[in-house]
Amino acid sequence: MKKLIAASAIALLLAGHAAASSINIAHSAAAPLSLKVDGQAVLPQVPPFHSNGILYVPALALMEFYPVQLQWNNVLKQLTLTTGWDNKVLTPGSSSIQVRYTQTDGSYKDSLEAPVILKAGHVYIPADSMNSLTGATTELEAGGTRVAITPGSLSTTVRVPAEPLVVAGDNAKVKLYASLKDGNTYKGFILEVNGKKHSFDWTVDRDFSNPPQLFYADIDSDGKPEVTVVFTVGTGTSLVVQEVHVVKPEQWKELSVPAADQAASAVVSSSISIDQNDVLLKLELQGATPSKVTMRIPDRAEEALKYFGKTAGIGSVTYYSVKDGRLLADTSLMVGMTESMGTLKLVYKAGAAGMELGSITFEPHDTTQQFVVK
């Protein structure tokens, strides 16, 4: 596959040089632009440029992050972008694209934001078209000398980005990088602490709206800070799922951390019953400071018989954080499928084999506080 891509790229370059004629476009001199993908400088010999107010990037940039083959037809003067699902044919001088599906006989015409350009033997496409072609975003960075491409969900780049996914807010020398992006998934990460790096085989979905969180604090009270990484691994209606990783950077040892919903379920018991027209929710929290809570939800008996069940649900929405040197978790307490009565608030502590639950309390929402029986 890599050999085929490389061969296609060479063919494109050679054919492009031979074909550079009337469809080459002259451009006025300006400060040269540079190109980076995922924060890493690429293709210095094929720089982006502006033409008629349009920012152009080399088609070769696609091969830096997108699962594509490029093939130049020197007779037809066309560039074909081939993926596992379609072929897109670009013609210098035209903004029209012919798209053909590889698994069916279907095809259609699409268009770019501006015409394709052949310059100095290389095919260039409008930067704004990167999004429609690959899902990537392209921007001219502050200062106006560097073009940055941030790959979208179809990226298969194996480069370790020069720029980290996240930097710890409490220590700029603690960073997290993605070591492999495969489609919608991050497969592997690299932690950097004070200039030293180590790889971890964590696998999570790529969620651009919920980037990883990174903390650097002594959460096990041994006098040395740990790195805490929080990933959001699932979201939906009344659903947030996160996972947490705690690493001791001196040995690059990962500490075990019981998931918040499991830790809470082990020490919280609940019952749901009917009292005339009301619903009674009773909670009992075990631990160092045991507590009991009763909530009376008025005029919901008929609905509860259909949808509430016999016990409350735990863990549909979970958030982890580090604050004041403590690893914390908030996980929801639900009745029915989507109705949250409040939050179970967990504080972790050091245990024999890693982190363990230290304490747990229940905090009703502002909207459900009125249901708590004094």
Side-chain angles (χ1 to χ4, degrees):
M1 176 66 175
K2 291 183 178 178
K3 292 182 179 179
L4 177 59
I5 291 176
S8 298
I10 294 172
L12 168 65
L13 293 174
L14 294 177
H17 281 292
S21 57
S22 60
I23 55 176
N24 273 281
I25 298 180
H27 304 278
S28 58
L33 299 177
S34 60
L35 180 65
K36 68 176 186 178
V37 177
D38 265 335
Q40 182 173 321
V42 299
L43 301 175
Q45 76 281 12
V46 196
F49 62 87
H50 285 93
S51 177
N52 297 321
I54 302 296
L55 176 62
Y56 279 85
V57 294
L60 278 175
L62 296 171
M63 297 175 66
E64 295 291 326
F65 68 92
Y66 190 62
V68 67
Q69 299 175 44
L70 305 182
Q71 186 171 19
W72 173 257
N73 187 315
N74 199 38
V75 175
L76 299 177
K77 304 297 186 289
Q78 292 179 333
L79 175 66
T80 300
L81 317 179
T82 301
T83 67
W85 53 91
D86 66 17
N87 298 318
K88 294 183 176 72
V89 180
L90 308 180
T91 304
S94 172
S95 60
S96 179
I97 312 173
Q98 182 68 42
V99 182
R100 303 185 184 93
Y101 295 113
T102 55
Q103 302 299 323
T104 68
D105 294 330
S107 66
Y108 65 94
K109 286 189 176 181
D110 203 348
S111 61
L112 303 177
E113 281 71 17
V116 174
I117 286 177
L118 181 63
K119 178 187 177 185
H122 297 282
V123 174
Y124 286 80
I125 57 179
D128 286 346
S129 297
M130 278 291 191
N131 185 263
S132 58
L133 288 173
T134 72
T137 57
T138 307
E139 64 176 347
L140 187 62
E141 292 189 330
T145 61
R146 187 163 61 178
V147 178
I149 296 177
T150 303
S153 62
L154 295 178
S155 167
T156 57
T157 179
V158 296
R159 73 164 49 81
V160 176
E163 296 180 358
L165 290 174
V166 62
V167 177
D170 39 17
N171 191 313
K173 293 184 178 181
V174 179
K175 306 172 184 179
L176 180 71
Y177 303 83
S179 58
L180 171 62
K181 288 185 288 187
D182 185 2
N184 285 311
T185 305
Y186 286 121
K187 293 184 176 179
F189 293 85
I190 296 173
L191 269 181
E192 178 180 347
V193 181
N194 299 321
K196 297 181 179 180
K197 296 181 179 180
H198 189 79
S199 298
F200 294 88
D201 60 357
W202 306 321
T203 299
V204 300
D205 290 341
R206 299 172 65 193
D207 186 345
F208 294 105
S209 59
N210 295 285
Q213 301 174 67
L214 195 60
F215 306 92
Y216 190 59
D218 180 14
I219 62 172
D220 66 355
S221 302
D222 69 347
K224 299 178 181 179
E226 288 75 43
V227 179
T228 301
V229 184
V230 178
F231 296 114
T232 298
V233 296
T235 60
T237 302
S238 299
L239 176 69
V240 176
V241 181
Q242 293 189 330
E243 68 178 40
V244 62
H245 299 271
V246 175
V247 174
K248 299 188 77 65
E250 298 83 8
Q251 306 89 23
W252 297 114
K253 176 184 177 182
E254 183 170 359
L255 303 181
S256 61
V257 182
D261 59 332
Q262 297 175 8
S265 296
V267 297
V268 176
S269 58
S270 65
S271 65
I272 297 175
S273 60
I274 305 300
D275 184 13
Q276 297 183 15
N277 291 326
D278 299 342
V279 176
L280 290 181
L281 171 60
K282 294 183 178 181
L283 303 176
E284 184 171 347
L285 286 70
Q286 304 169 15
T289 56
S291 62
K292 295 181 180 181
V293 179
T294 298
M295 304 181 78
R296 179 179 288 273
I297 310 170
D299 302 321
R300 300 287 296 279
E302 183 176 350
E303 181 182 354
L305 288 171
K306 294 181 180 179
Y307 304 113
F308 282 11
K310 298 297 183 181
T311 59
I314 294 176
S316 293
V317 176
T318 298
Y319 293 100
Y320 295 94
S321 62
V322 173
K323 185 176 181 180
D324 298 329
R326 300 185 302 171
L327 174 60
L328 310 175
D330 289 351
T331 193
S332 60
L333 184 92
M334 312 282 286
V335 295
M337 296 296 293
T338 61
E339 189 169 351
S340 177
M341 291 290 102
T343 302
L344 294 166
K345 305 184 78 66
L346 289 69
V347 180
Y348 289 88
K349 67 176 183 179
M355 303 299 294
E356 63 183 30
L357 179 63
S359 64
I360 184 169
T361 56
F362 174 71
E363 184 177 288
H365 300 308
D366 292 342
T367 54
T368 59
Q369 176 68 52
Q370 59 184 316
F371 302 147
V372 176
V373 178
K374 303 297 184 181

mmCIF file of all heavy atoms in Angstrom, residues 160-195:
data_model
loop_
_atom_site.group_PDB
_atom_site.id
_atom_site.type_symbol
_atom_site.label_atom_id
_atom_site.label_comp_id
_atom_site.label_asym_id
_atom_site.label_seq_id
_atom_site.Cartn_x
_atom_site.Cartn_y
_atom_site.Cartn_z
ATOM 1 N N VAL A 160 3.634 11.375 15.227
ATOM 2 C CA VAL A 160 3.366 11.944 16.548
ATOM 3 C C VAL A 160 3.383 13.454 16.365
ATOM 4 O O VAL A 160 4.398 14.030 15.986
ATOM 5 C CB VAL A 160 4.435 11.528 17.574
ATOM 6 C CG1 VAL A 160 4.174 12.213 18.914
ATOM 7 C CG2 VAL A 160 4.429 10.017 17.742
ATOM 8 N N PRO A 161 2.267 14.112 16.582
ATOM 9 C CA PRO A 161 2.216 15.553 16.327
ATOM 10 C C PRO A 161 3.269 16.308 17.136
ATOM 11 O O PRO A 161 3.578 15.955 18.280
ATOM 12 C CB PRO A 161 0.804 15.944 16.773
ATOM 13 C CG PRO A 161 0.017 14.676 16.705
ATOM 14 C CD PRO A 161 0.982 13.597 17.050
ATOM 15 N N ALA A 162 3.820 17.346 16.522
ATOM 16 C CA ALA A 162 4.769 18.178 17.247
ATOM 17 C C ALA A 162 4.073 18.943 18.355
ATOM 18 O O ALA A 162 4.692 19.312 19.354
ATOM 19 C CB ALA A 162 5.456 19.144 16.276
ATOM 20 N N GLU A 163 2.788 19.196 18.174
ATOM 21 C CA GLU A 163 2.010 19.887 19.188
ATOM 22 C C GLU A 163 1.149 18.872 19.937
ATOM 23 O O GLU A 163 0.496 18.023 19.333
ATOM 24 C CB GLU A 163 1.137 20.962 18.556
ATOM 25 C CG GLU A 163 1.941 22.079 17.895
ATOM 26 C CD GLU A 163 1.050 23.129 17.270
ATOM 27 O OE1 GLU A 163 -0.188 22.965 17.314
ATOM 28 O OE2 GLU A 163 1.600 24.101 16.730
ATOM 29 N N PRO A 164 1.119 18.930 21.260
ATOM 30 C CA PRO A 164 0.352 17.951 22.032
ATOM 31 C C PRO A 164 -1.144 18.164 21.913
ATOM 32 O O PRO A 164 -1.614 19.248 21.547
ATOM 33 C CB PRO A 164 0.828 18.208 23.469
ATOM 34 C CG PRO A 164 1.235 19.651 23.470
ATOM 35 C CD PRO A 164 1.819 19.905 22.099
ATOM 36 N N LEU A 165 -1.895 17.117 22.236
ATOM 37 C CA LEU A 165 -3.342 17.245 22.307
ATOM 38 C C LEU A 165 -3.741 18.152 23.454
ATOM 39 O O LEU A 165 -4.704 18.913 23.361
ATOM 40 C CB LEU A 165 -3.997 15.870 22.510
ATOM 41 C CG LEU A 165 -3.962 14.889 21.353
ATOM 42 C CD1 LEU A 165 -4.518 13.545 21.808
ATOM 43 C CD2 LEU A 165 -4.756 15.418 20.177
ATOM 44 N N VAL A 166 -3.007 18.063 24.561
ATOM 45 C CA VAL A 166 -3.348 18.836 25.749
ATOM 46 C C VAL A 166 -2.097 19.012 26.602
ATOM 47 O O VAL A 166 -1.207 18.164 26.607
ATOM 48 C CB VAL A 166 -4.475 18.138 26.551
ATOM 49 C CG1 VAL A 166 -4.029 16.769 27.043
ATOM 50 C CG2 VAL A 166 -4.953 18.992 27.710
ATOM 51 N N VAL A 167 -2.055 20.144 27.300
ATOM 52 C CA VAL A 167 -0.983 20.448 28.244
ATOM 53 C C VAL A 167 -1.620 20.641 29.620
ATOM 54 O O VAL A 167 -2.676 21.274 29.737
ATOM 55 C CB VAL A 167 -0.221 21.722 27.830
ATOM 56 C CG1 VAL A 167 0.853 22.066 28.856
ATOM 57 C CG2 VAL A 167 0.398 21.553 26.450
ATOM 58 N N ALA A 168 -0.994 20.099 30.644
ATOM 59 C CA ALA A 168 -1.548 20.227 31.996
ATOM 60 C C ALA A 168 -1.612 21.702 32.392
ATOM 61 O O ALA A 168 -0.636 22.438 32.231
ATOM 62 C CB ALA A 168 -0.697 19.444 32.992
ATOM 63 N N GLY A 169 -2.751 22.116 32.919
ATOM 64 C CA GLY A 169 -2.912 23.505 33.291
ATOM 65 C C GLY A 169 -2.030 23.930 34.437
ATOM 66 O O GLY A 169 -1.707 25.114 34.579
ATOM 67 N N ASP A 170 -1.609 22.982 35.261
ATOM 68 C CA ASP A 170 -0.796 23.324 36.421
ATOM 69 C C ASP A 170 0.690 23.054 36.209
ATOM 70 O O ASP A 170 1.494 23.252 37.109
ATOM 71 C CB ASP A 170 -1.287 22.569 37.668
ATOM 72 C CG ASP A 170 -1.707 21.138 37.368
ATOM 73 O OD1 ASP A 170 -1.332 20.636 36.292
ATOM 74 O OD2 ASP A 170 -2.411 20.545 38.188
ATOM 75 N N ASN A 171 1.079 22.592 34.993
ATOM 76 C CA ASN A 171 2.493 22.385 34.694
ATOM 77 C C ASN A 171 2.661 22.262 33.177
ATOM 78 O O ASN A 171 2.247 21.274 32.582
ATOM 79 C CB ASN A 171 3.037 21.138 35.393
ATOM 80 C CG ASN A 171 4.560 21.058 35.316
ATOM 81 O OD1 ASN A 171 5.154 21.243 34.263
ATOM 82 N ND2 ASN A 171 5.191 20.782 36.443
ATOM 83 N N ALA A 172 3.283 23.263 32.569
ATOM 84 C CA ALA A 172 3.424 23.296 31.113
ATOM 85 C C ALA A 172 4.375 22.235 30.582
ATOM 86 O O ALA A 172 4.462 22.032 29.364
ATOM 87 C CB ALA A 172 3.894 24.682 30.674
ATOM 88 N N LYS A 173 5.108 21.550 31.484
ATOM 89 C CA LYS A 173 6.031 20.503 31.048
ATOM 90 C C LYS A 173 5.397 19.116 31.054
ATOM 91 O O LYS A 173 6.069 18.115 30.841
ATOM 92 C CB LYS A 173 7.275 20.501 31.938
ATOM 93 C CG LYS A 173 8.130 21.749 31.795
ATOM 94 C CD LYS A 173 9.406 21.659 32.620
ATOM 95 C CE LYS A 173 10.279 22.886 32.425
ATOM 96 N NZ LYS A 173 11.533 22.811 33.206
ATOM 97 N N VAL A 174 4.091 19.072 31.294
ATOM 98 C CA VAL A 174 3.355 17.809 31.265
ATOM 99 C C VAL A 174 2.413 17.850 30.068
ATOM 100 O O VAL A 174 1.507 18.687 30.012
ATOM 101 C CB VAL A 174 2.578 17.581 32.573
ATOM 102 C CG1 VAL A 174 1.797 16.280 32.514
ATOM 103 C CG2 VAL A 174 3.535 17.583 33.758
ATOM 104 N N LYS A 175 2.628 16.935 29.105
ATOM 105 C CA LYS A 175 1.915 16.992 27.832
ATOM 106 C C LYS A 175 1.441 15.601 27.415
ATOM 107 O O LYS A 175 2.042 14.597 27.788
ATOM 108 C CB LYS A 175 2.823 17.569 26.741
ATOM 109 C CG LYS A 175 3.436 18.920 27.095
ATOM 110 C CD LYS A 175 4.466 19.363 26.072
ATOM 111 C CE LYS A 175 5.142 20.657 26.501
ATOM 112 N NZ LYS A 175 6.171 21.088 25.511
ATOM 113 N N LEU A 176 0.379 15.578 26.614
ATOM 114 C CA LEU A 176 -0.157 14.322 26.087
ATOM 115 C C LEU A 176 -0.240 14.413 24.572
ATOM 116 O O LEU A 176 -0.803 15.364 24.029
ATOM 117 C CB LEU A 176 -1.547 14.052 26.670
ATOM 118 C CG LEU A 176 -2.231 12.767 26.191
ATOM 119 C CD1 LEU A 176 -1.533 11.542 26.779
ATOM 120 C CD2 LEU A 176 -3.713 12.764 26.581
ATOM 121 N N TYR A 177 0.324 13.407 23.897
ATOM 122 C CA TYR A 177 0.312 13.331 22.436
ATOM 123 C C TYR A 177 -0.433 12.073 21.999
ATOM 124 O O TYR A 177 -0.455 11.072 22.712
ATOM 125 C CB TYR A 177 1.736 13.249 21.870
ATOM 126 C CG TYR A 177 2.657 14.373 22.246
ATOM 127 C CD1 TYR A 177 3.336 14.358 23.462
ATOM 128 C CD2 TYR A 177 2.880 15.434 21.380
ATOM 129 C CE1 TYR A 177 4.202 15.383 23.815
ATOM 130 C CE2 TYR A 177 3.754 16.463 21.715
ATOM 131 C CZ TYR A 177 4.406 16.437 22.935
ATOM 132 O OH TYR A 177 5.263 17.440 23.277
ATOM 133 N N ALA A 178 -1.016 12.129 20.804
ATOM 134 C CA ALA A 178 -1.573 10.925 20.183
ATOM 135 C C ALA A 178 -0.487 10.295 19.326
ATOM 136 O O ALA A 178 0.126 10.965 18.495
ATOM 137 C CB ALA A 178 -2.781 11.269 19.320
ATOM 138 N N SER A 179 -0.212 9.017 19.543
ATOM 139 C CA SER A 179 0.849 8.372 18.771
ATOM 140 C C SER A 179 0.331 7.726 17.489
ATOM 141 O O SER A 179 1.110 7.451 16.584
ATOM 142 C CB SER A 179 1.566 7.323 19.627
ATOM 143 O OG SER A 179 0.663 6.346 20.107
ATOM 144 N N LEU A 180 -0.973 7.486 17.397
ATOM 145 C CA LEU A 180 -1.554 6.937 16.174
ATOM 146 C C LEU A 180 -3.018 7.322 16.106
ATOM 147 O O LEU A 180 -3.751 7.175 17.085
ATOM 148 C CB LEU A 180 -1.434 5.408 16.131
ATOM 149 C CG LEU A 180 -2.200 4.696 15.005
ATOM 150 C CD1 LEU A 180 -1.686 5.137 13.639
ATOM 151 C CD2 LEU A 180 -2.096 3.190 15.145
ATOM 152 N N LYS A 181 -3.428 7.825 14.956
ATOM 153 C CA LYS A 181 -4.838 8.108 14.720
ATOM 154 C C LYS A 181 -5.315 7.217 13.585
ATOM 155 O O LYS A 181 -4.769 7.238 12.489
ATOM 156 C CB LYS A 181 -5.045 9.582 14.375
ATOM 157 C CG LYS A 181 -4.853 10.510 15.565
ATOM 158 C CD LYS A 181 -5.171 11.939 15.241
ATOM 159 C CE LYS A 181 -4.117 12.542 14.365
ATOM 160 N NZ LYS A 181 -4.338 13.988 14.174
ATOM 161 N N ASP A 182 -6.321 6.423 13.857
ATOM 162 C CA ASP A 182 -6.843 5.484 12.876
ATOM 163 C C ASP A 182 -8.337 5.735 12.741
ATOM 164 O O ASP A 182 -9.123 5.304 13.573
ATOM 165 C CB ASP A 182 -6.573 4.053 13.315
ATOM 166 C CG ASP A 182 -7.000 3.036 12.267
ATOM 167 O OD1 ASP A 182 -7.476 3.457 11.189
ATOM 168 O OD2 ASP A 182 -6.862 1.836 12.515
ATOM 169 N N GLY A 183 -8.710 6.457 11.686
ATOM 170 C CA GLY A 183 -10.118 6.787 11.516
ATOM 171 C C GLY A 183 -10.626 7.617 12.680
ATOM 172 O O GLY A 183 -10.064 8.653 13.019
ATOM 173 N N ASN A 184 -11.683 7.152 13.321
ATOM 174 C CA ASN A 184 -12.286 7.872 14.432
ATOM 175 C C ASN A 184 -11.673 7.510 15.775
ATOM 176 O O ASN A 184 -12.235 7.837 16.818
ATOM 177 C CB ASN A 184 -13.788 7.585 14.487
ATOM 178 C CG ASN A 184 -14.550 8.324 13.405
ATOM 179 O OD1 ASN A 184 -14.373 9.516 13.228
ATOM 180 N ND2 ASN A 184 -15.375 7.604 12.678
ATOM 181 N N THR A 185 -10.519 6.859 15.764
ATOM 182 C CA THR A 185 -9.964 6.316 16.998
ATOM 183 C C THR A 185 -8.524 6.762 17.216
ATOM 184 O O THR A 185 -7.731 6.792 16.283
ATOM 185 C CB THR A 185 -10.008 4.772 16.973
ATOM 186 O OG1 THR A 185 -11.345 4.349 16.727
ATOM 187 C CG2 THR A 185 -9.533 4.195 18.297
ATOM 188 N N TYR A 186 -8.217 7.126 18.454
ATOM 189 C CA TYR A 186 -6.831 7.276 18.869
ATOM 190 C C TYR A 186 -6.359 5.915 19.370
ATOM 191 O O TYR A 186 -6.947 5.336 20.281
ATOM 192 C CB TYR A 186 -6.701 8.282 20.011
ATOM 193 C CG TYR A 186 -6.865 9.731 19.619
ATOM 194 C CD1 TYR A 186 -7.860 10.513 20.195
ATOM 195 C CD2 TYR A 186 -6.002 10.326 18.701
ATOM 196 C CE1 TYR A 186 -8.006 11.849 19.862
ATOM 197 C CE2 TYR A 186 -6.147 11.658 18.351
ATOM 198 C CZ TYR A 186 -7.147 12.421 18.934
ATOM 199 O OH TYR A 186 -7.285 13.733 18.599
ATOM 200 N N LYS A 187 -5.282 5.414 18.786
ATOM 201 C CA LYS A 187 -4.718 4.142 19.214
ATOM 202 C C LYS A 187 -3.305 4.383 19.733
ATOM 203 O O LYS A 187 -2.340 4.372 18.989
ATOM 204 C CB LYS A 187 -4.707 3.136 18.063
ATOM 205 C CG LYS A 187 -6.094 2.701 17.611
ATOM 206 C CD LYS A 187 -6.015 1.638 16.538
ATOM 207 C CE LYS A 187 -7.399 1.129 16.162
ATOM 208 N NZ LYS A 187 -7.341 0.097 15.102
ATOM 209 N N GLY A 188 -3.233 4.620 21.024
ATOM 210 C CA GLY A 188 -1.943 4.860 21.643
ATOM 211 C C GLY A 188 -1.691 6.332 21.919
ATOM 212 O O GLY A 188 -2.098 7.203 21.149
ATOM 213 N N PHE A 189 -1.028 6.593 23.043
ATOM 214 C CA PHE A 189 -0.706 7.947 23.457
ATOM 215 C C PHE A 189 0.711 7.993 24.000
ATOM 216 O O PHE A 189 1.288 6.973 24.383
ATOM 217 C CB PHE A 189 -1.683 8.427 24.545
ATOM 218 C CG PHE A 189 -3.096 8.610 24.051
ATOM 219 C CD1 PHE A 189 -3.969 7.538 23.998
ATOM 220 C CD2 PHE A 189 -3.538 9.851 23.631
ATOM 221 C CE1 PHE A 189 -5.263 7.700 23.546
ATOM 222 C CE2 PHE A 189 -4.826 10.029 23.177
ATOM 223 C CZ PHE A 189 -5.698 8.945 23.133
ATOM 224 N N ILE A 190 1.262 9.200 24.022
ATOM 225 C CA ILE A 190 2.576 9.430 24.600
ATOM 226 C C ILE A 190 2.448 10.511 25.659
ATOM 227 O O ILE A 190 1.930 11.601 25.385
ATOM 228 C CB ILE A 190 3.602 9.859 23.528
ATOM 229 C CG1 ILE A 190 3.805 8.719 22.518
ATOM 230 C CG2 ILE A 190 4.929 10.252 24.173
ATOM 231 C CD1 ILE A 190 4.676 9.112 21.344
ATOM 232 N N LEU A 191 2.900 10.194 26.861
ATOM 233 C CA LEU A 191 2.963 11.174 27.944
ATOM 234 C C LEU A 191 4.363 11.766 27.982
ATOM 235 O O LEU A 191 5.360 11.039 27.871
ATOM 236 C CB LEU A 191 2.666 10.522 29.288
ATOM 237 C CG LEU A 191 1.224 10.488 29.785
ATOM 238 C CD1 LEU A 191 1.168 9.805 31.151
ATOM 239 C CD2 LEU A 191 0.625 11.885 29.868
ATOM 240 N N GLU A 192 4.437 13.066 28.133
ATOM 241 C CA GLU A 192 5.718 13.730 28.329
ATOM 242 C C GLU A 192 5.686 14.453 29.670
ATOM 243 O O GLU A 192 4.765 15.238 29.942
ATOM 244 C CB GLU A 192 5.997 14.734 27.220
ATOM 245 C CG GLU A 192 7.318 15.480 27.410
ATOM 246 C CD GLU A 192 7.594 16.479 26.299
ATOM 247 O OE1 GLU A 192 6.894 16.429 25.263
ATOM 248 O OE2 GLU A 192 8.500 17.307 26.481
ATOM 249 N N VAL A 193 6.666 14.173 30.506
ATOM 250 C CA VAL A 193 6.779 14.816 31.817
ATOM 251 C C VAL A 193 8.212 15.298 31.985
ATOM 252 O O VAL A 193 9.150 14.499 31.991
ATOM 253 C CB VAL A 193 6.403 13.848 32.962
ATOM 254 C CG1 VAL A 193 6.519 14.560 34.312
ATOM 255 C CG2 VAL A 193 4.990 13.307 32.766
ATOM 256 N N ASN A 194 8.356 16.613 32.062
ATOM 257 C CA ASN A 194 9.677 17.214 32.262
ATOM 258 C C ASN A 194 10.698 16.734 31.230
ATOM 259 O O ASN A 194 11.854 16.437 31.552
ATOM 260 C CB ASN A 194 10.183 16.927 33.683
ATOM 261 C CG ASN A 194 9.272 17.513 34.747
ATOM 262 O OD1 ASN A 194 8.750 18.617 34.587
ATOM 263 N ND2 ASN A 194 9.066 16.775 35.818
ATOM 264 N N GLY A 195 10.254 16.639 29.982
ATOM 265 C CA GLY A 195 11.148 16.287 28.886
ATOM 266 C C GLY A 195 11.301 14.808 28.620
ATOM 267 O O GLY A 195 11.873 14.424 27.598
#
